[in-house]
């Protein structure tokens, strides 16, 4: 385990520290340095100094380094998965089966792009000129990450940033910094030159110092919509580039013809993966009124029978939520739901008994939820599902879109024409039809409306970490 910051190729402590907890037990795992403004300045300075050489490295050589990172990360996959589970809470089935392999694949995918980032030539209507474009890196990028998938979401940013020749300063979430620091060790081992990747640890103040730093060219942020707005405002004043992956309140539309037994499993996964701490989590289930009681009861039965436990215990289907603060926020929304008159069908309380020391919340299902209730409008970011009956399929797109968010949506129907028509109508960055939420490095990812700006993954992330230069040459 690494518990120091990584600045200019050196492991650096600090005088003030903060703790990170194991959410399954509440115990402190480690104390980490709280970066000072001068640490942030040193990290950004190191990244600025390393930029010219990194950006000029031959593409084949940069690609090889990223492939080496992928190989080393894959060799240490078990260690990364156990550390992620210990610090974040997600069951090993998620950390070992999804988070770490996804991070490995992102490094490989963007290693592939390094040698294929092309510009274009265009036939301008100007005599005697040759015209072409180049894609160039931006400079020093600040990568600010959240606590729900600490390693994987970091790599969504880091792999394309490095592939395109940028250098970076990373600020992991204060709740879950450990796999980010371990990744810095892997980057060092792989031979990524000193200064190309730096990690500063600490809370929001450290993130703010990074956003404000004059040598930062771009901020790539994943986190809450409220903080995203602040960052966009600050970056806007300084005309820095910004990419934002923010909150969500994804609808799952279950058409009248759907086979309810068959869709329960996919919807449980969409709603309760990582204890609902997923920005794309399906949390608003729109079900034909004739069948909504049946759906709600079946969801409640299936959710209520899930096994809670430490993520390190392989029989656990749901781990703890990340922190006591998050647990209290979830509980307060459940109280609001009851006060609003929604029908509590499962869960609704913190787990007790053997699990009382950790931050475990019972998977919760509310039936008879209406569109105006806060539990149907606000992001809870926990294991709380709401079932909203509908009467007329024609109202579905309007109701699904009646939210500030627009990250993801799910549609379940045997009628593929209807499903695709709805997919076009829903304002969301990603729509999954008849399937749970899957991600791939090749598929663009990001939100519409208040769910974000820009896209990660795919070619879109190459665009997000580069800018286009036009070069004209006189042929006269
Ligand atoms: P958060 O916004 O509080 O914090 C995210 C990160 O930003 C942390 O590293 C934090 O220290 C830092 N930060 C906080 N205030 C800052 C400021 N003013 N300036 C700069 N940095 C600052 O969010 P969180 O609690 O870590 O994560 C939960 C939220 O993130 C949820 O709302 C969720 O929907 C969203 N999320 C979105 C995605 C996505 O892909 N769209 C993915 C994961 C999480």
């Amino acid at each position: 385990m690494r518990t120091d910051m990584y600045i200019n190729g050196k492991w650096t402590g600090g005088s003030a520290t903060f703790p990170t907890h194991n959410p399954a037990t509440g115990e402190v795992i480690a104390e980490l340095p709280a970066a000072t403004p001068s640490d942030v300045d040193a990290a950004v300075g190191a990244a600025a100094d390393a930029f010219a050489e990194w950006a000029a490295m031959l593409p084949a050589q940069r690609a090889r380094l990223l492939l080496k990172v992928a190989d080393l990360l894959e060799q240490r996959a078990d260690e990364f998965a156990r550390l992620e589970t210990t610090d974040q809470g997600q069951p090993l089935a998620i950390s070992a089966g999804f988070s770490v392999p996804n991070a490995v694949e992102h490094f490989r995918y963007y290693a592939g792009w390094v040698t294929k980032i092309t510009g274009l030539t265009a036939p301008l209507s100007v005599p005697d000129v040759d015209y072409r474009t180049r894609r160039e890196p931006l400079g020093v990028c600040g990568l600010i990450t959240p606590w729900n998938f600490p390693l994987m979401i970091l790599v969504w940013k880091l792999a394309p940033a490095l592939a395109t020749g940028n250098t970076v300063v990373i600020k992991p979430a204060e709740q879950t910094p450990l796999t980010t620091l371990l990744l810095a060790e892997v980057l060092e081992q792989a031979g990524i030159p000193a200064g190309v990747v730096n990690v500063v640890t600490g809370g929001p103040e450290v993130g703010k110092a990074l956003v404000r730093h004059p040598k930062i060219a771009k901020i790539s942020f994943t986190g809450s919509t409220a903080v995203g707005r602040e960052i966009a405002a600050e970056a806007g004043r300084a005309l820095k580039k910004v990419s934002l992956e923010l909150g969500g309140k994804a609808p799952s539309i279950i058409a009248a013809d759907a086979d309810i037994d068959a869709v329960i499993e996919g919807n449980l996964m969409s709603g309760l993966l990582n204890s609902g701490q997923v920005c794309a989590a399906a949390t608003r289930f729109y079900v034909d009124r004739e069948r909504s009681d049946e759906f709600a009861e079946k969801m409640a039965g299936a959710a209520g029978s899930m096994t809670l436990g430490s993520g390190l215990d392989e029989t656990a289907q749901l781990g703890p939520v990340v922190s006591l603060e998050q647990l209290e926020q979830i509980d307060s929304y459940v109280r609001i739901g009851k006060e609003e008159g929604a029908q509590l069908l499962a869960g609704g309380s913190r787990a007790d008994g053997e699990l009382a020391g950790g931050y475990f919340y019972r998977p919760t299902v509310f039936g008879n939820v209406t569109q105006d209730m806060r539990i149907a409008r606000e992001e809870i970011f926990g294991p709380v599902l709401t079932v909203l009956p509908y009467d007329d399929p024609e109202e579905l797109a309007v109701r699904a879109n009646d939210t500030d968010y627009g990250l993801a949506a799910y549609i379940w129907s045997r009628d593929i024409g209807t499903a695709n028509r709805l997919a076009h109508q829903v304002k969301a960055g990603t729509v999954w039809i008849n399937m749970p939420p899957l991600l791939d490095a090749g598929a663009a990812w990001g939100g519409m409306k208040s769910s974000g700006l820009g896209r990660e993954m795919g070619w879109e992330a190459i665009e997000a970490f580069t800018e286009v230069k036009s070069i004209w040459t006189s042929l006269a």
Side-chain angles (χ1 to χ4, degrees), residues 250-266:
S252 179
I253 296 172
I254 292 115
D257 68 357
D259 173 348
I260 284 193
D261 290 318
V263 303
I264 289 286
E265 196 184 332

Side-chain angles (χ1 to χ4, degrees), residues 145 147-148 171 174 222-224 230 245-247 279 379 381:
T145 56
W147 46 253
N148 60 341
K171 210 297 280 174
E174 53 275 32
T222 298
S224 60
E230 271 182 53
E245 299 288 341
L246 308 175
C279 44
E379 186 181 51
F381 224 60

